[in-house]
Amino acid sequence: MASKLCLILVVVATTLFCCPSSHAYVVSPANPVTAATICKYTPYPSFCRSEIPNNNSAGVYDYGRFSVRKSLSAASKFLSLIEKYLGRSSTLTIGAVRALEDCRFLAGLNVNFLSSSFQTVNTNTKATLTPLRADDVQTMLSAILTNTETCLDGLQATASAWNVKNGLFTPLSNATKLFSVSLAIFNKGWLVKKKKSPSHPRTKHLAFGKGRLPLKMSERNKAIYEMVSRRKLLQDDGGQVLVSDIVVVSQDGSGNFTAIKEAVAVAPNNTAAADGYFLIYVTAGVYEEYVSIAKNKRYLMMIGDGINQTVITGNHSYVDGWTTFNSATFAVVGPGFVAVNMTFRNTAGAIKHQAVAVRNGADLSTFYSCSFEAYQDTLYTHSLRQFYKECDIYGTVDFIFGNAAAVFQNCNMYPRLPLDQQFNAITAQGRTDPGQNTGISIQNCTIRAADDLASSNATTQTYLGRPWKQYSRTIYMQSFIDGFINPLGWHEWSGDFALNTSYYAEFSNTGPGSRTSGRVTWPGFYIINATDATNFTVSSFLLGDNWLSPTGVPYTGSLL
């Protein structure tokens, strides 16, 4: 079926420019431009010219639609190729099979993202989309590049055990270039400059428990709803949080389920935001299980009894044979996910290296008053748009990493004591393409040493971050940075890799570790002003005013 789909897509993509009157393809007569001119705006001009046929009557929107459609064909082909390799799994190592399974999962997401993106650009006949719709598409096109890079990382880690160089690396490399071309052309044609936030603070505090109760909710669940509401988890300012139904997870058997996975399984599939949240209330306890929120479990809200009261824990690690991607104790890709008052742990320990507590690839996701505890690679902010409020994050090497557009507000970062000869890096951001709308923004947070590091006599060095990928982007603003941070602030990844192309910035931080006079002198490091910092606020960087209010989570949209 997949190969048949690929054939159809290739045929359609090849004929688009030959058939401008096709009902499936709307040609814009305005501003015709050559393919060579359009390709100059992409990171791969030569590759772009070889893939995008010239049409003297085509404009940027035509080329954009064509490139997204062709990208969809390439993603479908690659998914079929992965299935082919997995069909030979009996001849592969466990590590190779797990890397391929990650690739299959990620390639499936790419097909979905590209299908949605093409539907948007193909039906849009105007010069611009609304800012929110443009941000949606740019986010999805950014995510497909992140997904291919994650797949590539996993394959490279296992490539010595099997021959994948020609069979998978070449098509994956070509697909990555095509995805980059699509993103660049989309940005050139459709992207509207995001509106800046106002200079004065705007703080939203919405009410939990004032939303409409579902008509068929049992009296027992209504009582639970009111009890959770009275905890004032989400602040009262006249807003509404709509809840469709509630289930309770309790280890003593008094709830609907004793395991979190069971509650997730009964959540409705593919609900819309207007349907309200399916609320899973997880009572106090230590839940030793691996939880995954699938892409069809949309708008799910999970509330616990508090940090260190409701705990989800596991110990998968890279050393024990798991890919970094699949070592997570808790993984979520379902859009609109909200977690409140919970602790997520990976107890593998520093000796097991990469061991993720939470991997988040859920668009428009929110974690409020949560704790993330591990050592190396604690919180994997993998992709799409994410917000973290009043959370605690503990770790050692690269313990906040990934390539989402992520904002941390009023959070606490606690570097821990790593292995001997290791240094701490709080962030390792993974932006691989200059057109991606991704980065880590840390606002009004507190950076202090965890107790084990603070009380140790070790000479461990701790840095604000290092460039995991070519266009790594991280901003610290209006945050307290304690004196244990190395005066250089930032650490290289390997030699001079990405020191020219990364974007590391600091704005109006306080504390003894915030002094910038001794910072690195890389071309990619900046001391920015308020105008530049505003670009990385909730309202500007995440367009958070459009989607955070219904979560009930308090946030500040702009600078303080």
Side-chain angles (χ1 to χ4, degrees):
M1 177 65 184
S3 59
K4 183 177 181 181
L5 172 63
C6 291
L7 179 61
I8 293 171
L9 290 174
V10 169
V11 171
V12 174
T14 305
T15 58
L16 283 180
F17 282 92
C18 302
C19 308
S21 61
S22 169
H23 292 297
Y25 189 68
V26 181
V27 175
S28 171
N31 302 320
V33 65
T34 65
T37 299
I38 286 296
C39 288
K40 290 178 182 178
Y41 295 103
T42 74
Y44 304 101
S46 297
F47 177 83
C48 175
R49 289 195 300 271
S50 70
E51 296 293 314
I52 306 295
N54 187 59
N55 185 330
N56 292 331
S57 64
V60 62
Y61 307 113
D62 305 310
Y63 291 115
R65 295 181 184 105
F66 177 82
S67 64
V68 172
R69 171 60 70 85
K70 191 161 188 177
S71 292
L72 175 56
S73 173
S76 300
K77 283 183 176 180
F78 188 73
L79 178 57
S80 296
L81 189 59
I82 292 295
E83 295 284 10
K84 179 180 176 182
Y85 272 85
L86 280 170
R88 310 169 187 165
S89 60
S90 61
T91 65
L92 302 174
T93 65
I94 293 176
V97 171
R98 286 175 173 168
L100 284 168
E101 288 173 343
D102 289 350
C103 287
R104 175 170 62 187
F105 174 79
L106 294 161
L109 291 177
N110 282 355
V111 170
N112 292 339
F113 292 158
L114 284 161
S115 297
S116 179
S117 297
F118 180 73
Q119 182 179 4
T120 298
V121 299
N122 194 47
T123 56
N124 176 60
T125 59
K126 297 182 180 180
T128 60
L129 297 167
T130 64
L132 185 58
R133 290 301 293 138
D135 197 61
D136 288 344
V137 176
Q138 188 189 24
T139 296
M140 287 187 286
L141 295 180
S142 295
I144 64 172
L145 283 164
T146 303
N147 290 342
T148 54
E149 185 71 11
T150 303
C151 171
L152 180 61
D153 286 344
L155 294 176
Q156 287 176 330
T158 60
S160 60
W162 56 304
N163 182 20
V164 296
K165 185 172 181 60
N166 295 326
L168 285 176
F169 283 7
T170 298
L172 187 58
S173 175
N174 289 337
T176 299
K177 291 178 182 178
L178 185 57
F179 299 158
S180 178
V181 166
S182 292
L183 176 60
I185 296 177
F186 175 82
N187 289 349
K188 180 64 180 174
W190 278 273
L191 198 62
V192 196
K193 189 173 182 180
K194 295 178 183 179
K195 294 182 179 179
K196 294 184 182 294
S197 302
S199 57
H200 60 280
R202 275 196 307 173
T203 303
K204 302 290 187 182
H205 300 284
L206 300 201
F208 180 79
K210 287 193 174 184
R212 299 191 303 272
L213 290 172
L215 295 177
K216 294 183 180 180
M217 181 180 283
S218 68
E219 291 301 319
R220 178 174 181 272
N221 278 0
K222 286 180 182 179
I224 294 168
Y225 183 94
E226 295 298 334
M227 181 268 291
V228 174
S229 301
R230 286 195 297 273
R231 294 173 185 267
K232 295 185 178 179
L233 300 175
L234 308 175
Q235 300 182 44
D236 186 354
D237 192 26
Q240 288 188 337
V241 176
L242 180 63
V243 173
S244 62
D245 203 355
I246 298 176
V247 294
V248 178
V249 180
S250 183
Q251 291 179 323
D252 65 7
S254 62
N256 303 97
F257 305 99
T258 58
I260 298 170
K261 289 188 293 188
E262 295 170 349
V264 172
V266 303
N269 295 332
N270 299 315
T271 58
D275 297 329
Y277 290 99
F278 182 83
L279 195 157
I280 300 175
Y281 171 43
V282 187
T283 62
V286 178
Y287 295 81
E288 297 181 4
E289 56 178 305
Y290 298 91
V291 179
S292 181
I293 312 298
K295 63 184 178 182
N296 62 340
K297 300 296 182 179
R298 303 166 64 93
Y299 296 99
L300 190 154
M301 180 178 285
M302 192 174 291
I303 296 179
D305 274 333
I307 290 175
N308 293 330
Q309 298 300 309
T310 298
V311 180
I312 306 176
T313 184
N315 63 1
H316 287 170
S317 69
Y318 180 78
V319 169
D320 286 339
W322 299 91
T323 63
T324 301
F325 185 78
N326 249 332
S327 68
T329 301
F330 189 93
V332 55
V333 294
F337 177 77
V338 180
V340 184
N341 277 10
M342 304 184 73
T343 290
F344 304 90
R345 286 182 186 150
N346 189 312
T347 61
I351 194 68
K352 293 299 180 75
H353 296 282
Q354 296 97 322
V356 175
V358 168
R359 187 191 80 233
N360 184 6
D363 198 21
L364 311 179
S365 56
T366 307
F367 285 79
Y368 176 39
S369 188
C370 290
S371 184
F372 307 86
E373 302 173 9
Y375 288 84
Q376 183 171 347
D377 291 0
T378 301
L379 176 55
Y380 195 171
T381 58
H382 183 262
S383 55
L384 304 164
R385 293 164 289 193
Q386 308 176 9
F387 180 61
Y388 300 82
K389 180 76 172 185
E390 297 178 15
C391 291
D392 300 333
I393 307 104
Y394 297 81
T396 56
V397 180
D398 307 333
F399 67 91
I400 301 172
F401 75 112
N403 195 26
V407 175
F408 293 82
Q409 198 170 85
N410 299 82
C411 293
N412 300 303
M413 282 77 171
Y414 294 113
R416 307 174 87 167
L417 183 66
L419 297 174
D420 290 343
Q421 309 303 317
Q422 283 187 333
F423 62 86
N424 287 331
I426 296 173
T427 64
Q429 207 281 326
R431 188 165 168 254
T432 61
D433 190 284
Q436 289 177 307
N437 62 349
T438 56
I440 294 172
S441 176
I442 296 172
Q443 183 188 22
N444 198 32
C445 293
T446 298
I447 318 301
R448 294 188 190 275
D451 290 344
D452 60 350
L453 180 61
S455 62
S456 171
N457 293 323
T459 57
T460 301
Q461 298 298 305
T462 300
Y463 299 86
L464 299 175
R466 60 179 182 152
W468 180 29
K469 301 293 182 181
Q470 189 75 51
Y471 295 93
S472 181
R473 182 161 64 176
T474 302
I475 301 90
Y476 284 79
M477 56 188 187
Q478 301 178 313
S479 294
F480 176 86
I481 303 175
D482 215 345
F484 72 103
I485 294 293
N486 187 292
L488 289 171
W490 308 85
H491 197 283
E492 69 276 1
W493 183 268
S494 178
D496 63 356
F497 170 75
L499 302 189
N500 295 333
T501 50
S502 294
Y503 183 90
Y504 287 130
E506 297 181 46
F507 168 73
S508 193
N509 297 305
T510 60
S514 68
R515 290 188 291 268
T516 57
S517 57
R519 289 293 194 252
V520 294
T521 57
W522 307 340
F525 173 71
Y526 304 88
I527 306 297
I528 59 176
N529 58 27
T531 299
D532 292 331
T534 296
N535 292 320
F536 301 100
T537 58
V538 169
S539 294
S540 294
F541 196 48
L542 299 181
L543 295 188
D545 295 330
N546 293 282
W547 60 273
L548 274 172
S549 293
T551 69
V553 173
Y555 72 94
T556 299
S558 61
L559 296 176
L560 302 178

